[in-house]
Amino acid sequence: LADALKGNSVLTALHLSRNSIGPDGAKSIAEALKVNGVLTTLDLEGNDIKNAGAIAIAEALKGNRVLTTLNLHTNNIQDRGAIALAD
């Protein structure tokens, strides 16, 4: 899925809530976000991505200027992950 997102030029919204993605899956999606130029909405609710996944996504978003909606509700993200996302 992450590889497909890297080359995606059409899909603007991706809803993956409650898919057991975990931190490793979130890291893969984060790598795709670094190069994806069309995805505006990403819903990762309930995937237990934890701090590691949140930090990876936060890093990816520093270079992503198109994602406008990100749902990370219920992902066991603690202070460290939340701070990374806020920066």
Side-chain angles (χ1 to χ4, degrees):
L1 176 63
D3 287 339
L5 278 177
K6 288 179 183 177
N8 168 54
S9 62
V10 178
L11 185 71
T12 59
L14 183 59
H15 299 275
L16 295 172
S17 61
R18 294 174 180 80
N19 274 287
S20 302
I21 290 171
D24 290 337
K27 289 176 186 177
S28 294
I29 290 170
E31 287 301 311
L33 288 176
K34 290 179 181 178
V35 296
N36 182 286
V38 296
L39 193 69
T40 60
T41 301
L42 179 59
D43 181 358
L44 294 176
E45 179 180 344
N47 279 292
D48 201 29
I49 69 168
K50 302 182 180 174
N51 284 336
I55 291 167
I57 288 172
E59 286 298 313
L61 291 178
K62 288 180 181 178
N64 180 301
R65 299 291 177 233
V66 295
L67 192 73
T68 57
T69 304
L70 176 63
N71 182 2
L72 296 176
H73 186 263
T74 318
N75 269 293
N76 198 20
I77 298 170
Q78 304 300 316
D79 291 347
R80 203 173 60 145
I83 289 168
L85 289 164
D87 286 343

